[in-house]
């Protein structure tokens, strides 16, 4: 495989690679581009921009958008839904960090 293709192949597994256009992202989520713009304005996700200035979304961003859509469909205002998801994301990060620290502590205790 040529070297110039290697980075592209690596992007297939990258949850943060901005692979989806706004139209495709809206289709995948069953929503509208306006919804994606709204959650962007609420600062839940910040799509990357193509060289032409078009919004591009990653799989991770689509998962967050799908969660926002779920909450909004249940009657949660969009700003509140975005805040809830942001807090859930922070909690996940904190729990992951806690697990890593406990694992390191357990490894340290086992070595002593």
């Amino acid at each position: 495989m040529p070297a110039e293709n290697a980075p592209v192949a690596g992007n297939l597994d990258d949850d943060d690679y901005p692979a989806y256009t706004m139209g495709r992202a809206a289709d995948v989520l069953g929503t509208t581009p306006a919804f994606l713009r709204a959650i962007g304005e609420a600062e839940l996700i910040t799509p990357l921009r193509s060289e032409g200035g078009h919004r591009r979304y990653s799989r991770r961003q689509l998962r967050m958008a799908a969660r926002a859509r779920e909450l909004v469909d249940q009657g949660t205002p969009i700003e509140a839904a975005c805040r809830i998801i942001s807090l859930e994301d922070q909690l996940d990060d904190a729990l992951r960090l806690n697990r890593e620290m406990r694992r390191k502590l357990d490894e340290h205790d086992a070595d002593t």
Side-chain angles (χ1 to χ4, degrees):
M1 178 182 305
E4 65 266 11
N5 290 337
V8 173
N11 293 334
L12 295 174
D13 294 327
D14 185 354
D15 267 358
D16 294 314
Y17 182 74
Y20 297 87
T21 63
M22 177 179 272
R24 182 68 183 132
D27 286 344
V28 166
L29 295 170
T31 190
T32 63
F35 178 80
L36 291 171
R37 282 191 294 275
I39 62 174
E41 289 170 11
E43 299 180 359
L44 176 62
I45 58 175
T46 303
L48 282 106
R49 298 283 182 149
S50 68
E51 288 183 18
H54 300 281
R55 290 174 179 91
R56 305 283 297 192
Y57 297 90
S58 68
R59 288 190 311 236
R60 184 180 317 278
Q61 290 173 324
L62 291 187
R63 284 193 299 271
M64 293 177 82
R67 176 75 175 122
R69 169 79 193 267
E70 177 184 312
L71 290 171
V72 168
D73 287 351
Q74 293 172 0
T76 306
I78 197 161
E79 294 82 10
C82 291
R83 183 66 180 140
I84 289 167
I85 295 162
S86 177
L87 291 170
E88 288 174 344
D89 195 45
Q90 289 175 26
L91 177 60
D92 286 344
D93 287 345
L95 291 171
R96 181 185 41 75
L97 181 59
N98 187 292
R99 282 190 303 272
E100 289 173 10
M101 292 175 68
R102 285 185 184 274
R103 182 185 50 78
K104 287 179 183 178
L105 182 59
D106 289 344
E107 288 174 0
H108 179 268
D109 288 347
D111 291 340
T112 54

